[in-house]
Amino acid sequence: MTLEGLDEVLATRSEAYKDLQVNIDEMMLSDVIQLLTKEPKLLRRPILIDGEKLIIGHNVDALRNLVSKRLDLKMSM
């Protein structure tokens, strides 16, 4: 669901990422998933999925849009 793949969800400015001694681009996906399981601070947060779109990080406009859509849906029920 990302446009930029793994780069979009990684917190590349975090200390945990900077301290890595591996090149994530050269890792197999299963190894990356294992690493993220052990080091969740490597992920940008929040990560939200509304069924159609993926919102990553503190994106105020996207979060407002998501909440607005959810409220509109709830009001129409």
Side-chain angles (χ1 to χ4, degrees):
M1 292 183 81
T2 70
L3 298 175
E4 299 172 25
L6 189 56
D7 291 339
E8 193 171 350
V9 296
L10 287 177
T12 56
R13 291 186 279 173
S14 72
E15 286 300 317
Y17 185 84
K18 290 175 183 176
D19 291 341
L20 284 179
Q21 298 298 317
V22 296
N23 184 348
I24 287 187
D25 294 329
E26 295 176 359
M27 294 175 70
M28 294 179 56
L29 182 57
S30 59
D31 294 332
V32 172
I33 292 170
Q34 251 183 341
L35 178 63
L36 293 174
T37 301
K38 291 178 186 175
E39 296 288 341
K41 290 182 179 183
L42 295 174
L43 291 172
R44 291 180 59 204
R45 294 177 298 270
I47 297 175
L48 301 170
I49 301 172
D50 74 352
E52 297 174 10
K53 291 185 180 179
L54 180 66
I55 301 170
I56 301 169
H58 189 76
N59 182 333
V60 175
D61 292 332
L63 293 171
R64 271 195 196 116
N65 190 25
L66 176 64
V67 170
S68 176
K69 284 182 181 180
R70 300 284 294 176
L71 287 175
D72 288 346
L73 179 62
K74 190 173 183 179
M75 297 291 250
S76 68
M77 295 179 137

